[in-house]
Amino acid sequence: MPSKMSLFNKELMLQMGRSTGWISVIYLLGLLFVLPIRILLILYSDSDNFLYYQSRNNLFQYDYEIQVFLIAIAPVILAVFLFRFLHVKQAADLMHSLPLKRERIFHHYALTGMVLLILPVAIVTGIVYIMHFTYDLGSLFTIHDLLYWSGTIIVITLLLYIASVFVGIMTGISVVQAVLAYVFLFFPIGITVLLSYNLKILLYGFPGDF
């Protein structure tokens, strides 16, 4: 009977979890602090604080700066550490000596990184979903707000992660990968703002502020 190799190599995925799982854990702890723990603090704080958060429009306004920091840093750092073996000769030789095609190795690493980013958001979403019905938090946010929050974070983090992986494949140094990843992502925004600002000066009536 011919042997059949599994699509997923369990040992390889465990090794990736041990080497980069700490980033996902820190990401999870950060999200727990900015949403579930923050909501509990609001519930058991003074009424003025509760009324203040009742006027908020979405869940991104709960510790907004910390959320932006986590969303911007976690996927790039994860991609840097996950694909660091490409930039270290001994690690690259060891990885490519395994009886696996390079295509499969890349798919294992890329998909594992996506899981490590999505899993913390899913866990926090589940906790907040339970809290919504347990503590009757309808006055603070709705289920639609929660799904919008989780969906937006997943899309943005996966975009940052995929861009960082792409840059990591093209570069040979981890530090350069992190820097060029942000340049690759924010260059279109910067050049668009620069063009709009200059066109506003050169063309009469051009809506540069739009």
Side-chain angles (χ1 to χ4, degrees), residues 51-203:
L51 292 174
Y52 170 78
Y53 281 97
Q54 277 187 319
S55 63
R56 302 298 90 190
N57 295 324
N58 56 63
L59 293 176
F60 285 103
Q61 296 182 349
Y62 292 74
D63 292 322
Y64 173 77
E65 295 80 6
I66 300 177
Q67 290 195 50
V68 171
F69 178 80
L70 291 173
I71 295 171
I73 296 296
V76 176
I77 296 298
L78 179 62
V80 169
F81 280 91
L82 198 59
F83 287 88
R84 181 170 170 75
F85 76 93
L86 294 174
H87 307 150
V88 180
K89 185 178 184 304
Q90 293 180 345
D93 293 341
L94 174 62
M95 193 60 60
H96 293 146
S97 66
L98 297 176
L100 296 172
K101 294 182 179 180
R102 295 190 178 189
E103 179 183 358
R104 291 191 61 197
I105 294 175
F106 172 77
H107 289 161
H108 273 78
Y109 273 79
L111 293 175
T112 301
M114 292 181 182
V115 172
L116 291 176
L117 288 174
I118 295 174
L119 193 59
V121 181
I123 293 174
V124 172
T125 302
I127 293 173
V128 177
Y129 181 83
I130 295 172
M131 290 174 58
H132 182 271
F133 293 101
T134 304
Y135 294 98
D136 191 17
L137 301 175
S139 60
L140 290 178
F141 63 91
T142 63
I143 298 299
H144 178 269
D145 295 330
L146 178 60
L147 295 178
Y148 175 81
W149 175 84
S150 60
T152 303
I153 287 186
I154 289 174
V155 170
I156 294 175
T157 52
L158 289 183
L159 174 64
L160 293 173
Y161 171 74
I162 293 171
S164 302
V165 170
F166 172 76
V167 173
I169 294 172
M170 300 298 174
T171 60
I173 304 175
S174 298
V175 177
V176 175
Q177 176 186 353
V179 174
L180 289 182
Y182 287 111
V183 172
F184 177 74
L185 287 164
F186 292 106
F187 175 77
I189 300 174
I191 197 67
T192 301
V193 173
L194 183 63
L195 287 174
S196 298
Y197 179 78
N198 285 277
L199 287 176
K200 179 184 177 181
I201 298 174
L202 296 174
L203 300 178

